[in-house]
Amino acid sequence: MSYDQIDVPEDGEQITLVDEETGELNVPETPIIPIIYGDGIGSDVGPAAQKVLDAAAEATGRSIAWMRLYAGGSAREKYDENLPQETVDAIREHRVAIKGPLTTPVGAGFRSLNVALRKKLDLYANVRPTYHLDGVPSPVKNPSAMDMITFRENTEDVYAGIEWEAGTDEVQEVKEFVEDEMGFDNTIHDGPVGIGVKPITEFGSKRLIREAIDYAIANDRPTVTLVHKGNIMKFTEGAFRDWGYEVAEEEYGEDVLTEDELWEEYDGEQPEGTVVVQDRIADNMLQQILTRTDEYDVIATMNLNGDYMSDAAGAQIGGLGIAPGANFGHGRCLAEPVHGSAPKYAGEDKVNPTAMILSGREMLDYLGWSDAADLVRDAVEQTISEGTVTYDLHRQIEGGEKLATSEFAEAVVDKIDELA
Ligand code: NAD
C-alpha cells in the first residue's frame, strides 16, 4: 500500500491475518510496525521505547521495520488535521502498532483523538495490566500483591461522545424530550444544563466480557470480576453485569462458574482449572483493590469505571510512569501507555519511558514474541531495582542514580544485551 505522506520502510513485511475467528496473525521476521510518538512527552518516550524494543527483537533473532505515523500536533503540522485518514488506514492495514499520548484540550470543540482512533478501528478492548516490578517505589505496604489485568470496554458508555452543550437548541430539545415525552419532570434543575447519553449495549458488553474470560482461561487466572455501578444505574451498568453472567453461563460450560455456583456446588472450594465470574460494585471495588489486592485477577468493566480503576491500580504499583496498556479488536493491537502527554515535561528528556516500553512489551506478546517480551520486562525490572531510574522514581527512593529518559532507555538496552 502506498501513502501520500507516510514513508513505508523498504526492509519490512506486512503482518497479515491468518484466521478471522481467532485473530491469529502471520508475523514475518521483520514486520512493519507503525509508531505514533504523539504529543507532549510522546517525543521523549516514543524513541526511548523504540530503542528498547529494537534491542529485544534483535536479541531474539528478529527486527522491526518502524513506520512513523502522525496524529495530534505532528499531524497538524504535516497534514493540517488532527487524525489523518492515512494514519487510521495504515494502522488498520498493518494490524499491530504502538502510540504515545495525544493531547485532548478540555472544553468544547475538541473530541479526544484517542477515543476517535479506538472507535474508528473498533478496538473495543482496552487492556491494562497492573503488576509490580521489583524496586519500583509504591505508596502501599505490599505492592507485589497487585497482579491484575483490566479489560475496559472502549467504544461506548459516557465516552461515546453523545452529549449536548448547555445553552444550545439541541440540549433544550433533549431536555424537553426527557421531561415531556419520557416523563422525567422535576429531575433536571432549571437553568443551563449539559446533557450526555450513556449507551451500554448487550453486544458491546458481551464481546468485551468474552475477551476477559478467554484471557483468564488461557492464562490460568482464577477469577473474572465484573465491576459496575448497577445498584444506581440499573439499566446500563446493571445490564452489563447481567449480560456478563449470561455470557459466563451460556457460552462456557463447566469451566466457568458463577460465585453462586461456586458456593452451592463446591462449598467455596474452586476446582482447579476453572474460572469464577463474580461482580463488585465500583466504589467498593476501589477500596478492595487497596485492602484485598491479591483477591483480584482479571477485571471486566465499562469505559469510565475502567479508566478510573486502572489509574488507581496503577498508582499502587508505581504510578503513571509505569502503567502500560493496549487496545485490541478484530485481530488488531494498538499499544499505548496509560499516561497522557504531560505537556509540562515535553521535550525535556526527563520523564519515565517505562509505561511506553511496557506497552511495547504487550505488543511483542501479541506478535507471539513472548521471549522478547519477557526480556523487556526482566531488563526494565533489573534496571530499576539497581536504582538507575528517572526523576519520578528517584525522588521516592534512597540513593540511586537519576537518569534522563534516553539514558534510562540505554540502560535497559545494556541490560537486554547482558541478559540475552
Ligand atoms: P498526564 O498523564 O499527561 O500527566 C499527569 C502527571 O503524571 C504529569 O504531570 C506527571 O507528573 C505524571 N506523569 C505522566 N506520565 C509520566 C511519565 N511517563 N513519567 C513520569 N511522570 C509522568 O495527565 P493529564 O495532565 O491529565 O493529561 C495531559 C494531556 O494528556 C491531556 O490533554 C489528556 O487529555 C491527555 N491524555 C492522553 C491520554 C492518551 O493519549 N491515551 C491519556 C491520558 C491523558
PDB file of all heavy atoms in Angstrom, residues 41 45 99-105 114 118 320-321 336-345 351-352 391-392, ligand 1:
ATOM      1  N   ILE A  41       5.160  14.640  25.935  1.00  0.00           N
ATOM      2  CA  ILE A  41       6.278  13.749  26.238  1.00  0.00           C
ATOM      3  C   ILE A  41       6.364  12.541  25.285  1.00  0.00           C
ATOM      4  O   ILE A  41       7.279  11.735  25.399  1.00  0.00           O
ATOM      5  CB  ILE A  41       6.220  13.221  27.692  1.00  0.00           C
ATOM      6  CG1 ILE A  41       4.884  12.511  27.971  1.00  0.00           C
ATOM      7  CG2 ILE A  41       6.470  14.355  28.689  1.00  0.00           C
ATOM      8  CD1 ILE A  41       4.847  11.749  29.288  1.00  0.00           C
ATOM      9  N   VAL A  45       9.294   9.654  25.154  1.00  0.00           N
ATOM     10  CA  VAL A  45       9.130   8.230  25.473  1.00  0.00           C
ATOM     11  C   VAL A  45       9.047   7.348  24.220  1.00  0.00           C
ATOM     12  O   VAL A  45       9.425   6.169  24.270  1.00  0.00           O
ATOM     13  CB  VAL A  45       7.903   7.971  26.397  1.00  0.00           C
ATOM     14  CG1 VAL A  45       8.072   8.681  27.718  1.00  0.00           C
ATOM     15  CG2 VAL A  45       6.586   8.361  25.738  1.00  0.00           C
ATOM     16  N   LYS A  99       1.446   3.615  20.064  1.00  0.00           N
ATOM     17  CA  LYS A  99       1.326   5.072  20.059  1.00  0.00           C
ATOM     18  C   LYS A  99       1.644   5.672  21.419  1.00  0.00           C
ATOM     19  O   LYS A  99       1.423   5.044  22.457  1.00  0.00           O
ATOM     20  CB  LYS A  99      -0.072   5.506  19.613  1.00  0.00           C
ATOM     21  CG  LYS A  99      -1.173   5.190  20.607  1.00  0.00           C
ATOM     22  CD  LYS A  99      -2.506   5.788  20.187  1.00  0.00           C
ATOM     23  CE  LYS A  99      -2.710   7.203  20.663  1.00  0.00           C
ATOM     24  NZ  LYS A  99      -2.913   7.370  22.100  1.00  0.00           N
ATOM     25  N   GLY A 100       2.151   6.878  21.394  1.00  0.00           N
ATOM     26  CA  GLY A 100       2.329   7.663  22.606  1.00  0.00           C
ATOM     27  C   GLY A 100       1.043   8.433  22.888  1.00  0.00           C
ATOM     28  O   GLY A 100       0.024   8.249  22.210  1.00  0.00           O
ATOM     29  N   PRO A 101       1.062   9.313  23.869  1.00  0.00           N
ATOM     30  CA  PRO A 101      -0.156  10.037  24.247  1.00  0.00           C
ATOM     31  C   PRO A 101      -0.525  11.146  23.262  1.00  0.00           C
ATOM     32  O   PRO A 101       0.340  11.704  22.591  1.00  0.00           O
ATOM     33  CB  PRO A 101       0.238  10.655  25.594  1.00  0.00           C
ATOM     34  CG  PRO A 101       1.719  10.790  25.534  1.00  0.00           C
ATOM     35  CD  PRO A 101       2.226   9.643  24.712  1.00  0.00           C
ATOM     36  N   LEU A 102      -1.817  11.445  23.206  1.00  0.00           N
ATOM     37  CA  LEU A 102      -2.290  12.566  22.394  1.00  0.00           C
ATOM     38  C   LEU A 102      -3.061  13.522  23.289  1.00  0.00           C
ATOM     39  O   LEU A 102      -3.884  13.089  24.103  1.00  0.00           O
ATOM     40  CB  LEU A 102      -3.193  12.048  21.268  1.00  0.00           C
ATOM     41  CG  LEU A 102      -2.499  11.130  20.248  1.00  0.00           C
ATOM     42  CD1 LEU A 102      -3.516  10.459  19.335  1.00  0.00           C
ATOM     43  CD2 LEU A 102      -1.498  11.923  19.419  1.00  0.00           C
ATOM     44  N   THR A 103      -2.796  14.792  23.137  1.00  0.00           N
ATOM     45  CA  THR A 103      -3.423  15.801  23.986  1.00  0.00           C
ATOM     46  C   THR A 103      -4.890  16.008  23.608  1.00  0.00           C
ATOM     47  O   THR A 103      -5.215  16.110  22.434  1.00  0.00           O
ATOM     48  CB  THR A 103      -2.663  17.143  23.840  1.00  0.00           C
ATOM     49  OG1 THR A 103      -1.331  16.918  24.296  1.00  0.00           O
ATOM     50  CG2 THR A 103      -3.307  18.256  24.636  1.00  0.00           C
ATOM     51  N   THR A 104      -5.748  16.080  24.615  1.00  0.00           N
ATOM     52  CA  THR A 104      -7.148  16.473  24.396  1.00  0.00           C
ATOM     53  C   THR A 104      -7.437  17.711  25.231  1.00  0.00           C
ATOM     54  O   THR A 104      -7.593  17.599  26.445  1.00  0.00           O
ATOM     55  CB  THR A 104      -8.137  15.375  24.854  1.00  0.00           C
ATOM     56  OG1 THR A 104      -7.769  14.150  24.234  1.00  0.00           O
ATOM     57  CG2 THR A 104      -9.558  15.724  24.490  1.00  0.00           C
ATOM     58  N   PRO A 105      -7.485  18.906  24.616  1.00  0.00           N
ATOM     59  CA  PRO A 105      -7.818  20.079  25.405  1.00  0.00           C
ATOM     60  C   PRO A 105      -9.209  19.937  26.019  1.00  0.00           C
ATOM     61  O   PRO A 105     -10.106  19.389  25.378  1.00  0.00           O
ATOM     62  CB  PRO A 105      -7.801  21.218  24.381  1.00  0.00           C
ATOM     63  CG  PRO A 105      -7.055  20.674  23.208  1.00  0.00           C
ATOM     64  CD  PRO A 105      -7.268  19.200  23.205  1.00  0.00           C
ATOM     65  N   ASN A 114      -7.699  10.033  20.947  1.00  0.00           N
ATOM     66  CA  ASN A 114      -7.511   8.658  21.398  1.00  0.00           C
ATOM     67  C   ASN A 114      -8.804   7.877  21.254  1.00  0.00           C
ATOM     68  O   ASN A 114      -8.830   6.770  20.751  1.00  0.00           O
ATOM     69  CB  ASN A 114      -7.073   8.629  22.861  1.00  0.00           C
ATOM     70  CG  ASN A 114      -5.785   9.387  23.043  1.00  0.00           C
ATOM     71  OD1 ASN A 114      -4.780   9.027  22.471  1.00  0.00           O
ATOM     72  ND2 ASN A 114      -5.830  10.460  23.819  1.00  0.00           N
ATOM     73  N   ARG A 118      -9.606   4.752  18.628  1.00  0.00           N
ATOM     74  CA  ARG A 118     -10.110   3.450  19.102  1.00  0.00           C
ATOM     75  C   ARG A 118     -11.447   3.130  18.446  1.00  0.00           C
ATOM     76  O   ARG A 118     -11.724   1.995  18.085  1.00  0.00           O
ATOM     77  CB  ARG A 118     -10.289   3.473  20.626  1.00  0.00           C
ATOM     78  CG  ARG A 118      -8.975   3.571  21.394  1.00  0.00           C
ATOM     79  CD  ARG A 118      -9.230   3.852  22.865  1.00  0.00           C
ATOM     80  NE  ARG A 118      -8.061   4.393  23.533  1.00  0.00           N
ATOM     81  CZ  ARG A 118      -8.106   5.102  24.663  1.00  0.00           C
ATOM     82  NH1 ARG A 118      -9.259   5.355  25.248  1.00  0.00           N
ATOM     83  NH2 ARG A 118      -7.002   5.555  25.230  1.00  0.00           N
ATOM     84  N   LEU A 320       1.852   6.559  37.054  1.00  0.00           N
ATOM     85  CA  LEU A 320       1.603   6.641  35.615  1.00  0.00           C
ATOM     86  C   LEU A 320       2.843   6.401  34.763  1.00  0.00           C
ATOM     87  O   LEU A 320       2.741   5.981  33.618  1.00  0.00           O
ATOM     88  CB  LEU A 320       1.020   8.018  35.286  1.00  0.00           C
ATOM     89  CG  LEU A 320      -0.444   8.210  35.650  1.00  0.00           C
ATOM     90  CD1 LEU A 320      -0.873   9.651  35.391  1.00  0.00           C
ATOM     91  CD2 LEU A 320      -1.301   7.261  34.832  1.00  0.00           C
ATOM     92  N   GLY A 321       4.004   6.676  35.329  1.00  0.00           N
ATOM     93  CA  GLY A 321       5.235   6.456  34.565  1.00  0.00           C
ATOM     94  C   GLY A 321       5.479   4.991  34.249  1.00  0.00           C
ATOM     95  O   GLY A 321       6.293   4.645  33.391  1.00  0.00           O
ATOM     96  N   GLU A 336      -0.502   1.378  23.901  1.00  0.00           N
ATOM     97  CA  GLU A 336      -0.293   2.766  24.329  1.00  0.00           C
ATOM     98  C   GLU A 336      -0.208   2.821  25.852  1.00  0.00           C
ATOM     99  O   GLU A 336      -0.900   2.088  26.549  1.00  0.00           O
ATOM    100  CB  GLU A 336      -1.412   3.697  23.840  1.00  0.00           C
ATOM    101  CG  GLU A 336      -2.776   3.356  24.371  1.00  0.00           C
ATOM    102  CD  GLU A 336      -3.847   4.408  24.035  1.00  0.00           C
ATOM    103  OE1 GLU A 336      -3.509   5.584  23.835  1.00  0.00           O
ATOM    104  OE2 GLU A 336      -5.027   4.028  24.000  1.00  0.00           O
ATOM    105  N   PRO A 337       0.660   3.682  26.384  1.00  0.00           N
ATOM    106  CA  PRO A 337       0.722   3.803  27.838  1.00  0.00           C
ATOM    107  C   PRO A 337      -0.555   4.411  28.396  1.00  0.00           C
ATOM    108  O   PRO A 337      -1.313   5.046  27.669  1.00  0.00           O
ATOM    109  CB  PRO A 337       1.910   4.748  28.053  1.00  0.00           C
ATOM    110  CG  PRO A 337       2.037   5.511  26.786  1.00  0.00           C
ATOM    111  CD  PRO A 337       1.554   4.611  25.694  1.00  0.00           C
ATOM    112  N   VAL A 338      -0.788   4.206  29.699  1.00  0.00           N
ATOM    113  CA  VAL A 338      -1.982   4.768  30.340  1.00  0.00           C
ATOM    114  C   VAL A 338      -1.852   6.297  30.470  1.00  0.00           C
ATOM    115  O   VAL A 338      -2.833   7.019  30.359  1.00  0.00           O
ATOM    116  CB  VAL A 338      -2.177   4.110  31.733  1.00  0.00           C
ATOM    117  CG1 VAL A 338      -3.275   4.814  32.532  1.00  0.00           C
ATOM    118  CG2 VAL A 338      -2.517   2.627  31.573  1.00  0.00           C
ATOM    119  N   HIS A 339      -0.636   6.766  30.644  1.00  0.00           N
ATOM    120  CA  HIS A 339      -0.467   8.207  30.917  1.00  0.00           C
ATOM    121  C   HIS A 339      -0.759   9.083  29.708  1.00  0.00           C
ATOM    122  O   HIS A 339      -0.835   8.613  28.581  1.00  0.00           O
ATOM    123  CB  HIS A 339       0.940   8.495  31.460  1.00  0.00           C
ATOM    124  CG  HIS A 339       2.057   8.264  30.479  1.00  0.00           C
ATOM    125  ND1 HIS A 339       2.250   9.039  29.375  1.00  0.00           N
ATOM    126  CD2 HIS A 339       3.052   7.342  30.460  1.00  0.00           C
ATOM    127  CE1 HIS A 339       3.324   8.616  28.715  1.00  0.00           C
ATOM    128  NE2 HIS A 339       3.824   7.569  29.344  1.00  0.00           N
ATOM    129  N   GLY A 340      -0.910  10.377  29.990  1.00  0.00           N
ATOM    130  CA  GLY A 340      -1.163  11.348  28.944  1.00  0.00           C
ATOM    131  C   GLY A 340       0.111  12.039  28.488  1.00  0.00           C
ATOM    132  O   GLY A 340       1.224  11.536  28.709  1.00  0.00           O
ATOM    133  N   SER A 341      -0.057  13.218  27.887  1.00  0.00           N
ATOM    134  CA  SER A 341       1.067  13.879  27.216  1.00  0.00           C
ATOM    135  C   SER A 341       1.888  14.777  28.140  1.00  0.00           C
ATOM    136  O   SER A 341       2.877  15.367  27.699  1.00  0.00           O
ATOM    137  CB  SER A 341       0.533  14.697  26.046  1.00  0.00           C
ATOM    138  OG  SER A 341      -0.455  15.598  26.521  1.00  0.00           O
ATOM    139  N   ALA A 342       1.494  14.870  29.428  1.00  0.00           N
ATOM    140  CA  ALA A 342       2.218  15.643  30.452  1.00  0.00           C
ATOM    141  C   ALA A 342       2.968  16.846  29.850  1.00  0.00           C
ATOM    142  O   ALA A 342       4.199  16.911  29.915  1.00  0.00           O
ATOM    143  CB  ALA A 342       3.174  14.716  31.214  1.00  0.00           C
ATOM    144  N   PRO A 343       2.239  17.805  29.269  1.00  0.00           N
ATOM    145  CA  PRO A 343       2.879  18.863  28.478  1.00  0.00           C
ATOM    146  C   PRO A 343       3.985  19.629  29.218  1.00  0.00           C
ATOM    147  O   PRO A 343       4.949  20.085  28.589  1.00  0.00           O
ATOM    148  CB  PRO A 343       1.725  19.807  28.118  1.00  0.00           C
ATOM    149  CG  PRO A 343       0.488  19.180  28.609  1.00  0.00           C
ATOM    150  CD  PRO A 343       0.780  17.925  29.323  1.00  0.00           C
ATOM    151  N   LYS A 344       3.852  19.674  30.539  1.00  0.00           N
ATOM    152  CA  LYS A 344       4.833  20.430  31.328  1.00  0.00           C
ATOM    153  C   LYS A 344       6.251  19.857  31.179  1.00  0.00           C
ATOM    154  O   LYS A 344       7.235  20.577  31.299  1.00  0.00           O
ATOM    155  CB  LYS A 344       4.298  20.386  32.759  1.00  0.00           C
ATOM    156  CG  LYS A 344       5.166  20.558  33.894  1.00  0.00           C
ATOM    157  CD  LYS A 344       4.322  20.789  35.143  1.00  0.00           C
ATOM    158  CE  LYS A 344       4.590  19.668  36.130  1.00  0.00           C
ATOM    159  NZ  LYS A 344       3.956  19.762  37.397  1.00  0.00           N
ATOM    160  N   TYR A 345       6.368  18.579  30.862  1.00  0.00           N
ATOM    161  CA  TYR A 345       7.695  17.937  30.751  1.00  0.00           C
ATOM    162  C   TYR A 345       8.116  17.674  29.302  1.00  0.00           C
ATOM    163  O   TYR A 345       9.157  17.053  29.070  1.00  0.00           O
ATOM    164  CB  TYR A 345       7.695  16.609  31.509  1.00  0.00           C
ATOM    165  CG  TYR A 345       7.437  16.750  32.978  1.00  0.00           C
ATOM    166  CD1 TYR A 345       6.244  16.302  33.541  1.00  0.00           C
ATOM    167  CD2 TYR A 345       8.379  17.336  33.824  1.00  0.00           C
ATOM    168  CE1 TYR A 345       5.992  16.438  34.899  1.00  0.00           C
ATOM    169  CE2 TYR A 345       8.137  17.476  35.177  1.00  0.00           C
ATOM    170  CZ  TYR A 345       6.934  17.022  35.705  1.00  0.00           C
ATOM    171  OH  TYR A 345       6.696  17.155  37.044  1.00  0.00           O
ATOM    172  N   VAL A 351      11.041  12.453  31.612  1.00  0.00           N
ATOM    173  CA  VAL A 351      10.019  11.542  32.170  1.00  0.00           C
ATOM    174  C   VAL A 351      10.402  10.075  32.013  1.00  0.00           C
ATOM    175  O   VAL A 351      11.356   9.741  31.308  1.00  0.00           O
ATOM    176  CB  VAL A 351       8.630  11.771  31.522  1.00  0.00           C
ATOM    177  CG1 VAL A 351       8.097  13.138  31.856  1.00  0.00           C
ATOM    178  CG2 VAL A 351       8.694  11.517  30.021  1.00  0.00           C
ATOM    179  N   ASN A 352       9.599   9.247  32.640  1.00  0.00           N
ATOM    180  CA  ASN A 352       9.851   7.814  32.674  1.00  0.00           C
ATOM    181  C   ASN A 352       9.274   7.128  31.419  1.00  0.00           C
ATOM    182  O   ASN A 352       8.072   7.191  31.187  1.00  0.00           O
ATOM    183  CB  ASN A 352       9.161   7.250  33.925  1.00  0.00           C
ATOM    184  CG  ASN A 352       9.612   5.858  34.255  1.00  0.00           C
ATOM    185  OD1 ASN A 352      10.227   5.187  33.442  1.00  0.00           O
ATOM    186  ND2 ASN A 352       9.312   5.429  35.467  1.00  0.00           N
ATOM    187  N   TYR A 391      13.475  10.598  37.112  1.00  0.00           N
ATOM    188  CA  TYR A 391      13.234  11.512  38.244  1.00  0.00           C
ATOM    189  C   TYR A 391      12.050  11.106  39.128  1.00  0.00           C
ATOM    190  O   TYR A 391      12.092  11.252  40.348  1.00  0.00           O
ATOM    191  CB  TYR A 391      13.032  12.951  37.740  1.00  0.00           C
ATOM    192  CG  TYR A 391      11.599  13.245  37.376  1.00  0.00           C
ATOM    193  CD1 TYR A 391      10.759  13.937  38.256  1.00  0.00           C
ATOM    194  CD2 TYR A 391      11.056  12.778  36.182  1.00  0.00           C
ATOM    195  CE1 TYR A 391       9.425  14.158  37.942  1.00  0.00           C
ATOM    196  CE2 TYR A 391       9.738  12.998  35.861  1.00  0.00           C
ATOM    197  CZ  TYR A 391       8.924  13.691  36.741  1.00  0.00           C
ATOM    198  OH  TYR A 391       7.620  13.901  36.433  1.00  0.00           O
ATOM    199  N   ASP A 392      10.976  10.602  38.472  1.00  0.00           N
ATOM    200  CA  ASP A 392       9.746  10.314  39.215  1.00  0.00           C
ATOM    201  C   ASP A 392       9.962   9.229  40.260  1.00  0.00           C
ATOM    202  O   ASP A 392       9.388   9.279  41.357  1.00  0.00           O
ATOM    203  CB  ASP A 392       8.615   9.907  38.252  1.00  0.00           C
ATOM    204  CG  ASP A 392       9.032   8.786  37.298  1.00  0.00           C
ATOM    205  OD1 ASP A 392      10.188   8.786  36.847  1.00  0.00           O
ATOM    206  OD2 ASP A 392       8.201   7.903  37.012  1.00  0.00           O
TER     207      ASP A 392
HETATM  208  P1  NAD B   1      -0.793  13.058  32.244  1.00  0.00           P
HETATM  209  O1  NAD B   1      -0.760  11.576  32.375  1.00  0.00           O
HETATM  210  O2  NAD B   1      -0.325  13.613  30.960  1.00  0.00           O
HETATM  211  O3  NAD B   1       0.102  13.710  33.385  1.00  0.00           O
HETATM  212  C1  NAD B   1      -0.226  13.769  34.749  1.00  0.00           C
HETATM  213  C2  NAD B   1       1.042  13.774  35.595  1.00  0.00           C
HETATM  214  O4  NAD B   1       1.500  12.431  35.676  1.00  0.00           O
HETATM  215  C3  NAD B   1       2.191  14.540  34.976  1.00  0.00           C
HETATM  216  O5  NAD B   1       2.187  15.881  35.337  1.00  0.00           O
HETATM  217  C4  NAD B   1       3.378  13.822  35.586  1.00  0.00           C
HETATM  218  O6  NAD B   1       3.620  14.281  36.873  1.00  0.00           O
HETATM  219  C5  NAD B   1       2.903  12.396  35.662  1.00  0.00           C
HETATM  220  N1  NAD B   1       3.349  11.593  34.516  1.00  0.00           N
HETATM  221  C6  NAD B   1       2.646  11.243  33.413  1.00  0.00           C
HETATM  222  N2  NAD B   1       3.391  10.495  32.605  1.00  0.00           N
HETATM  223  C7  NAD B   1       4.587  10.364  33.194  1.00  0.00           C
HETATM  224  C8  NAD B   1       5.798   9.691  32.837  1.00  0.00           C
HETATM  225  N3  NAD B   1       5.920   8.990  31.693  1.00  0.00           N
HETATM  226  N4  NAD B   1       6.849   9.764  33.679  1.00  0.00           N
HETATM  227  C9  NAD B   1       6.753  10.445  34.828  1.00  0.00           C
HETATM  228  N5  NAD B   1       5.650  11.093  35.235  1.00  0.00           N
HETATM  229  C10 NAD B   1       4.572  11.054  34.424  1.00  0.00           C
HETATM  230  O7  NAD B   1      -2.286  13.514  32.555  1.00  0.00           O
HETATM  231  P2  NAD B   1      -3.013  14.909  32.342  1.00  0.00           P
HETATM  232  O8  NAD B   1      -2.105  16.011  32.763  1.00  0.00           O
HETATM  233  O9  NAD B   1      -4.322  14.748  32.962  1.00  0.00           O
HETATM  234  O10 NAD B   1      -3.254  14.995  30.782  1.00  0.00           O
HETATM  235  C11 NAD B   1      -2.445  15.726  29.866  1.00  0.00           C
HETATM  236  C12 NAD B   1      -2.984  15.508  28.462  1.00  0.00           C
HETATM  237  O11 NAD B   1      -2.864  14.135  28.083  1.00  0.00           O
HETATM  238  C13 NAD B   1      -4.469  15.841  28.314  1.00  0.00           C
HETATM  239  O12 NAD B   1      -4.631  16.514  27.098  1.00  0.00           O
HETATM  240  C14 NAD B   1      -5.147  14.497  28.267  1.00  0.00           C
HETATM  241  O13 NAD B   1      -6.340  14.523  27.554  1.00  0.00           O
HETATM  242  C15 NAD B   1      -4.104  13.669  27.566  1.00  0.00           C
HETATM  243  N6  NAD B   1      -4.225  12.227  27.845  1.00  0.00           N
HETATM  244  C16 NAD B   1      -3.976  11.389  26.821  1.00  0.00           C
HETATM  245  C17 NAD B   1      -4.018  10.033  27.017  1.00  0.00           C
HETATM  246  C18 NAD B   1      -3.729   9.139  25.844  1.00  0.00           C
HETATM  247  O14 NAD B   1      -3.164   9.597  24.870  1.00  0.00           O
HETATM  248  N7  NAD B   1      -4.067   7.861  25.892  1.00  0.00           N
HETATM  249  C19 NAD B   1      -4.270   9.503  28.283  1.00  0.00           C
HETATM  250  C20 NAD B   1      -4.483  10.392  29.360  1.00  0.00           C
HETATM  251  C21 NAD B   1      -4.453  11.758  29.123  1.00  0.00           C
END
